[in-house]
Amino acid sequence: MNPYNAPALSRPWWKSTQAVLGILALVALLGAFSFALGFLVMIAAMVAVWVLPPWRWFARLGATVGALLLLTVGAGLGGQLDANGTKSAHAGGASGESAQASPTASKKSQPAIAVDYVGQQLDEAEKQARATGYTAAHHDASDEDRVIVLRSGWTVCFQVADAAAKTIDFAAVKSLEPCPEKDGGPLPWPKMPDVVGATYNKAVEDLKQAGIDLDRVTLDDVYLDIDTPTAEEAAEDGNEWRVCFQSPDEGTEVNPATTVRLDLGQWTDADLVQDCPSAKGATYKIPANDPDYDDDTTGGGSTDGGSSSSSGDSTGDGNGVGTVHPGSFCSPRGATGVTKAGTPMICGPGSDGRNRWRSA
């Protein structure tokens, strides 16, 4: 027998092209009923495509992409079948009830009214709407016509429902954005008010009234010798702190990317300087705190061999002086004095280790 005329060996049926195509078709069929089961069969189909049939690489790659598409189409059809099944069940239930109810009662029946989902996350609103038999759609509620990708990060502002057709269309904005006045309108971002010159308490009221979140407001000081207060400290002495500068300017829209800053100065009726400086961080609130400060009103200057002392006339006992400025540098340690308001002060080490006038 001539070996060249021998019949070709047939491949097992499970390695044939027909078998692989059958597995691919099974992906779409099972995906329509169970996405998880369809996904597992898709993995098996991909392995079979690359192992079993004698296909070229580009054919195997095309079959792999086709398996993904078949799973997606099958899952989508499964969702539609579930919706149709729900509608059929409702229709069957309605037919059973209409057989028992009178024709007049059947004519008076009205379709269910859609629930109000305004204020909810878009993904939750669509989920609940579909659970009641509605087909949900969505779009950007602003005039920017943006594509909604992550629905959990959007909030429903408006909805238009058709109870007869069981459809509902949601208009939404991003979760940190305000809803426009009407669907398709501009986002009404709050605008920065003019708070320069106002006390901290008054500035806070104006910011709240403008709709600006106080958690986004940062504070800073304006003088070189004054520390920046926290929001709690500024609120505690809210009538002593004044707004010297603000950012952004009055009328600027304040969106999530905008940084709101208030530059504060502090003074009371007892302070010699009761006004904002011409520029932030350029001067000292208490002139005597300036290392280059030279008080010509003392007549003879320093009495301790070069150490700076607070302004005022000596009381004659070596340790007492006249009027002093709270927080200013002083010498010698232990010296006493009083403020312009009559508050007793003592010269002692401050937080920076240097002698300053502080309450006795």
Side-chain angles (χ1 to χ4, degrees):
M1 180 177 179
N2 187 354
Y4 295 100
N5 295 329
L9 296 176
S10 61
R11 296 176 60 84
W13 68 268
W14 47 273
K15 287 187 177 182
S16 64
T17 299
Q18 292 81 356
V20 175
L21 293 178
I23 296 177
L24 292 175
L26 191 60
V27 171
L29 180 61
L30 294 179
F33 295 95
S34 172
F35 181 82
L37 184 58
F39 182 78
L40 294 177
V41 177
M42 182 194 69
I43 297 298
M46 289 181 177
V47 174
V49 165
W50 287 93
V51 174
L52 299 181
W55 295 353
R56 295 187 178 182
W57 69 269
F58 54 83
R60 294 178 177 179
L61 180 61
T64 301
V65 175
L68 290 171
L69 294 177
L70 286 173
L71 178 61
T72 304
V73 172
L77 291 176
Q80 294 176 7
L81 290 175
D82 291 341
N84 292 335
T86 302
K87 293 180 180 179
S88 299
H90 289 171
S95 299
E97 293 176 1
S98 61
Q100 299 177 2
S102 64
T104 304
S106 178
K107 292 180 180 180
K108 291 182 179 179
S109 62
Q110 297 292 334
I113 302 300
V115 179
D116 186 5
Y117 299 101
V118 173
Q120 295 190 24
Q121 287 184 348
L122 179 58
D123 59 337
E124 288 296 326
E126 290 188 350
K127 180 179 178 181
Q128 295 178 28
R130 285 193 295 266
T132 59
Y134 276 78
T135 300
H138 59 252
H139 65 275
D140 185 3
S142 74
D143 58 355
E144 300 179 14
D145 195 23
R146 298 164 295 184
V147 177
I148 298 177
V149 179
L150 188 62
R151 292 173 297 166
S152 60
W154 291 66
T155 302
V156 176
C157 289
F158 311 100
Q159 66 180 48
V160 177
D162 187 338
K166 301 287 282 186
T167 60
I168 186 168
D169 184 21
F170 294 115
V173 296
K174 292 182 179 180
S175 297
L176 296 179
E177 297 175 344
C179 289
E181 294 184 1
K182 62 179 182 178
D183 190 4
L187 295 175
W189 293 113
K191 294 185 178 181
M192 184 70 180
D194 181 15
V195 294
V196 173
T199 63
Y200 178 76
N201 286 341
K202 182 62 169 61
V204 166
E205 293 178 4
D206 292 345
L207 291 173
K208 286 182 178 179
Q209 187 174 2
I212 298 176
D213 186 1
L214 296 182
D215 291 337
R216 300 177 51 243
V217 178
T218 61
L219 304 179
D220 202 357
D221 62 277
V222 294
Y223 290 104
L224 293 173
D225 55 343
I226 299 296
D227 295 330
T228 302
T230 64
E232 292 76 13
E233 292 171 343
E236 184 178 355
D237 300 321
N239 290 325
E240 296 182 5
W241 292 97
R242 268 90 167 173
V243 180
C244 292
F245 309 101
Q246 71 176 52
S247 177
D249 295 333
E250 178 187 7
T252 304
E253 288 188 348
V254 180
N255 56 49
T258 306
T259 300
V260 178
R261 189 186 74 244
L262 302 180
D263 298 321
L264 304 178
Q266 184 188 30
W267 59 82
T268 65
D269 293 339
D271 291 303
L272 295 179
V273 178
Q274 300 180 16
D275 197 6
C276 291
S278 58
K280 175 184 174 182
T283 59
Y284 290 82
K285 173 188 174 183
I286 302 174
N289 287 346
D290 187 348
D292 298 329
Y293 175 70
D294 183 15
D295 188 359
D296 295 335
T297 61
T298 56
S302 163
T303 59
D304 58 355
S307 300
S308 63
S309 61
S310 57
S311 60
D313 296 329
S314 171
T315 58
D317 58 3
N319 289 324
V321 296
T323 303
V324 299
H325 306 297
S328 61
F329 297 123
C330 60
S331 180
R333 180 178 299 184
T336 59
V338 294
T339 65
K340 185 178 180 180
T343 303
M345 306 294 288
I346 188 171
C347 182
S351 58
D352 57 356
R354 306 173 69 178
N355 292 337
R356 296 176 180 271
W357 288 112
R358 53 189 177 86
S359 299

